[in-house]
Amino acid sequence: MSNKPLNILIVDDSDLTRSSLTKLFSEYQCNIITSIDGLDGIQKSLTSKPDIILLDILMPNLDGIKMLQVIKIIDELKKIPVIVISGNSNKTNVFASLEAGADKVITKPIDEEALIKSIEELTKSKLHPKSKSDGLIADSTIDELKKIYIKAFPQKELQINKAIAERDKYAVGNIFHELKGVSASMGFPEVTEISRMIELALNSEKIDWNYIRNQTDEIISLIERKTFSFDGD
């Protein structure tokens, strides 16, 4: 296995997912490039020549499947391994990703150990943890990522409120599935636990929307308290 630092490109329109993955890799000797949609992802693939791409499926402008189809016909990019990371684990999405050229599909919430192992296998490189002297930098990075999480939450709150008002079970489920997957690693384990409870409530035969509204308000309150603590620093 090679010991050189890996260049990892993360293509995902979710601020929370990008921040969560950036936090994960901040503990390792690697270089992180991020992108918010498929078109920008292709451009950054061409300019940065990453060792591996972590790719979401549902994105604006150009989705993950189309991005995969494009990079697999570009000589400079087609050999770069791609791991699709998706919040939707149905067989259709998995098959479409693999058919388009993905080397592996991992579903959210992300199993960090499995992701690291997959990256090492596909790149034939070892992800080395940073030394203790790098830990001070990592701690500072984690604080910044928490601030990004908090800053991104108002937009997520708007999406949640709209989905609940419309009684859109699918949209509500997707939002809280994402929150469940990234919140604990960003320093918000309570949000992960409440999101898990909401997912269970959505699977009930008769959905209690008042319960979901109350649990959502609890999450919003938690984030507001954390925002106040950061603003007071």
Side-chain angles (χ1 to χ4, degrees):
M1 278 192 171
S2 171
N3 289 324
K4 71 179 183 67
L6 288 177
N7 293 320
I8 302 173
L9 172 61
I10 302 168
V11 186
D12 198 307
D13 66 322
S14 166
D15 291 340
L16 301 183
T17 300
R18 291 196 312 277
S19 297
S20 176
L21 289 171
T22 301
K23 175 184 177 296
L24 168 63
F25 295 120
S26 70
E27 300 173 8
Y28 295 88
Q29 296 175 11
C30 58
N31 304 309
I32 300 300
I33 310 107
T34 62
S35 176
I36 61 172
D37 63 56
L39 285 175
D40 184 59
I42 293 169
Q43 293 173 348
K44 287 186 175 173
S45 297
L46 287 166
T47 56
S48 64
K49 299 299 190 302
D51 297 296
I52 192 163
I53 299 171
L54 307 184
L55 179 62
D56 186 30
I57 293 180
L58 299 177
M59 296 183 294
N61 297 328
L62 194 72
D63 65 33
I65 299 297
K66 291 188 177 75
M67 177 180 164
L68 261 172
Q69 292 169 338
V70 171
I71 65 177
K72 290 304 178 182
I73 61 173
I74 299 176
D75 287 340
E76 301 169 76
L77 306 178
K78 63 184 181 182
K79 292 185 179 179
I80 298 173
V82 177
I83 297 177
V84 165
I85 298 177
S86 175
N88 194 329
S89 59
N90 69 56
K91 291 182 180 180
T92 301
N93 279 341
V94 172
F95 179 77
S97 300
L98 295 173
E99 189 177 51
D103 296 273
K104 195 172 186 66
V105 178
I106 292 178
T107 58
K108 300 174 184 176
I110 299 167
D111 181 329
E112 295 181 355
E113 186 176 337
L115 176 60
I116 295 297
K117 183 178 179 181
S118 296
I119 290 172
E120 291 180 338
E121 288 176 350
L122 290 171
T123 61
K124 296 180 173 57
S125 298
K126 182 72 176 174
L127 275 170
H128 293 284
K130 289 182 176 178
S131 65
K132 290 183 178 180
S133 62
D134 294 323
L136 295 175
I137 299 174
D139 288 343
S140 175
T141 300
I142 289 168
D143 283 342
E144 286 303 311
L145 291 172
K146 286 182 179 179
K147 291 178 182 179
I148 291 171
Y149 178 101
I150 290 170
K151 186 177 180 180
F153 194 80
Q155 182 61 37
K156 191 66 64 179
E157 183 180 344
L158 290 175
Q159 295 172 3
I160 294 169
N161 289 335
K162 181 175 183 293
I164 291 177
E166 295 174 353
R167 301 288 176 95
D168 188 337
K169 175 182 174 180
Y170 179 77
V172 173
N174 279 344
I175 293 167
F176 283 105
H177 188 73
E178 178 187 2
L179 288 174
K180 184 181 76 173
V182 304
S183 298
S185 63
M186 298 295 291
F188 300 91
E190 306 97 328
V191 177
T192 288
E193 180 58 23
I194 296 172
S195 298
R196 185 187 67 78
M197 292 164 61
I198 291 174
E199 276 196 316
L200 290 173
L202 287 168
N203 289 326
S204 300
E205 187 174 335
K206 185 177 181 180
I207 298 173
D208 185 345
W209 288 101
N210 287 328
Y211 172 81
I212 290 172
R213 177 74 266 171
N214 290 336
Q215 293 300 305
T216 299
D217 289 343
E218 178 63 23
I219 287 177
I220 293 169
S221 176
L222 283 166
I223 299 299
E224 287 177 346
R225 291 200 297 272
K226 186 61 72 171
T227 302
F228 179 79
S229 70
F230 269 113
D231 289 344
D233 288 345

